[in-house]
Amino acid sequence: MKFRIYRYDPEKDAKPYYRDYDIELDPHDRMLLDALIRLKTVDDSLSFRRSCREGVCGSDAMNINGTNGLACVTNLKTLKEPVELRPLPGLPVIRDLIVDMTQFFKQYHSIKPYLINDTPPPEKERLQSPAERERLDGLYECILCACCSTACPSFWWNPDKFVGPAGLLAAYRFIADSRDQALNARLDNLDDPYRLFRCHTIMNCVDVCPKGLNPTAAIGKIKDIMVKRAI
Amino acid sequence: MAKSFPVMHFDAVIVGAGGAGMRASLQLAEAGLSVAVLSKVFPTRSHTVAAQGGIGASLGNMSEDSWLWHMYDTIKGSDWLGDQDAIEYMCKTAADVVYELEHFGMPFDRNDDGTLYQRPFGGHSANFGQKPVQRACAVADRTGHALLHTLYQRNVRARTQFLVEWMALDLIRDADGDVVGVTALEMETGEAMILHAKATILATGGAGRIFAASTNAFINTGDGLGMVARAGLPLEDMEMWQFHPTGVAGAGILITEAVRGEGGILLNANGERFMERYAPNLKDLASRDVVSRSMDQEIKEGRGCGPHKDYVLLKLDHLGPDVIIKRLPSIREISIKFANADPIKEPIPVVPTIHYMMGGIPTNVHGQVVAPKDGDPNSVVPGLFAVGECACVSVHGANRLGTNSLLDLIVFGRATGNFIVSENLKAAPHKPLPGDAAEASRARLARIDNATSGESVSAVADTLRKTLQAHCGVFRNQGLLSEGGPRAARDAHLDQRSQQDVQHRARRGARAR
Ligand SMILES: Cc1cc2nc3c(=O)[nH]c(=O)nc-3n(C[C@H](O)[C@H](O)[C@H](O)COP(=O)(O)OP(=O)(O)OC[C@H]3O[C@@H](n4cnc5c(N)ncnc54)[C@H](O)[C@@H]3O)c2cc1C
Ligand code: SF4
Ligand code: SF4
Ligand code: FES
């Protein structure tokens, strides 16, 4: 199978380049990650992140034939050859397919991604009805892979000011939690021309999320609450 | 390369940001200690994220339950080889630590009355083995994900300092044998450092990747065990490995026991529910060693499925789409992606797959690492702690019950944190570093850096994995083991063999680890 892979080692290379590979795969190689691991036995300088190989850890997000996705759950049969692999767009490249995710996590941290409830907890669990709990579905499952934010033009232009789809999804996850008491502070934190309102509903984020989550919908809900609060 | 490495000082250094490491770090950070948590991957990428089924605690939300019954099940499951005092502590504390996770914001599934939903799991019973009980608190089939993210979030709140994509190399022991920190490599820059600490806590997780077929992530390579062994300290119960009955045939990916907890059953090639024969009471929910051995027996006796008769089937379509979509959504996703089978319509091909290491670094209930010294078999190694799958308390004996590992992480992560806080480290001075603190790591890195020939690391690792797979399977016997032992030792002899490849892993390019 043929691959065309973005290569860059800042210690050696003046600038990034593409390298072509043609490699015979094993019949057991099902996913793109299997192929990458096989490629690494041939060219061990090829660098990428990976861990769980089942789509839950968020390590191996990359740009695959022009679309962001996880290598470990991308079936080789679905890919057009040569398979072109690039690092996630818009973030600084550390080496090959590995990007510096500092800015992405900074935005995630900026929304206070933890439950805020200052009343002393009861001896047992805080009660939550199944319906209240269900509101968190489609929100808490995010694996912080950054496929969405690095597919979002607004995030490319303003990674330091726009929270981005992943961070906003997380913000709504806490806004929607019946146990959280910081609604106003959370909204104040986002009430800014950039942090929330740079989202222009382009939906790239929804198209690429490997967990099938919908950041655009979550962003829409935050905007609704914000508007309601204003009147 | 310089003779030594730059030094950073902390009250405590934790190696590992999985559930165990982050539960311990939370106690320390909230108590105001200076703590650094090292991880070779971003914290939420640790393998705890993959845990599916649940965390056990006798809350009694579904029907009557008692920590004594949980304790009985755990001891029985362990083949009576677990440490009963440690098991008592774990089962008694379980409810508190689960409520605490809920207070931290973990999005547990709920009952109509707002309490935590609990599901049945293998080996968990009511009234000392009488009938299955619902004891596993769960977040759909993403319990580990929810737990790990919640702990990370709570640590963000506590302003814990993380050193992300740092790889710990060696323990530093002084002339008294006390541990005074670790050496570590910042993977992005390739720079090596000394992390000088009053307490060093290993939370490096499992080592399932020493086998060819495994439910574990690529990063589960048992680094902490290696560090301890290289420091001249013993490991405990290393022959005790658990095979999970249901790994996807050919892919190794786990299908949680919760599938059987919710009513899924195992079938052989004749369509027979064979577990009724092997375990008439608990059937498909018997403990994992029993189910794995029964499956292996079925396959050995020619009742396996498929063209090579080498797997059995896990049937769950009778649960109906609603239960599958609500309680087992990721299982459906995994099955479709990795087995080409939608479990709403067809069964999943499964085989027993290596899953969990019961043994590890021996500790007491405070997480203190112990080793024989001057006639005392449990003498504490000052400065060194271990928690989570890399540790052996031992609450799992020869066989761990499902849901008891996540519980182990949280109970002993917290207990270890509390113990270290009680030691009042802030006021205590650092023990001085020995003059040769960096020597072992420096020499190894230099050797690897300067090596120009030798075998490829991936080839050596493959051979080792195959040997373990062939000689240490579900059924072990004297012949296989005594042949396999020396063979593995020979395979693993990296000292003389490693070359450039290692350099790429250990130095700048180590990101891919
Ligand atoms: C697929 C699967 C499903 C499971 N489901 C369940 C379940 O439902 N219930 C249950 O109770 N148990 C379950 N288990 C078991 C349980 O998830 C694990 O035992 C547990 O999560 C291990 O946690 P840990 O914190 O010890 O280690 P991990 O979560 O594996 O974390 C290890 C940490 O150590 C770091 N590390 C390792 N080496 C180094 C090094 N050299 N330098 C720096 N950092 C290092 C890693 O980066 C990582 O942060 C499951 C296991 C698997 C594989
Ligand atoms: S919908 Fe908003 S967040 Fe999503 S890609 Fe478009 S601009 Fe970005
Ligand atoms: S929302 Fe989806 S794409 Fe974005 S980080 Fe989370 S899992 Fe990845
Ligand atoms: S390797 Fe974990 S998401 Fe792909």
Side-chain angles (χ1 to χ4, degrees), chain A residues 51-53 55-60 70 72:
Chain A
S51 180
C52 72
R53 58 80 174 93
V56 293
C57 78
S59 295
D60 60 345
L70 299 174
C72 62

Side-chain angles (χ1 to χ4, degrees), chain B residues 229-287:
Chain B
R230 285 197 298 278
L233 293 165
L235 300 171
E236 180 180 356
D237 289 351
M238 288 309 292
E239 74 284 20
M240 293 178 185
W241 279 87
Q242 176 170 81
F243 283 77
H244 195 291
T246 55
V248 173
I253 295 177
L254 183 81
I255 301 293
T256 173
E257 199 164 286
V259 169
R260 283 169 287 136
E262 298 284 349
I265 55 172
L266 292 164
L267 300 177
N268 64 16
N270 305 332
E272 181 204 1
R273 185 177 178 190
F274 56 87
M275 282 313 299
E276 288 180 328
R277 250 190 293 125
Y278 294 92
N281 265 343
L282 295 175
K283 301 189 178 107
D284 300 89
L285 283 181
S287 68

Side-chain angles (χ1 to χ4, degrees), chain B residues 37 231 242 447:
Chain B
V37 185
Q242 176 170 81
R447 175 174 60 69

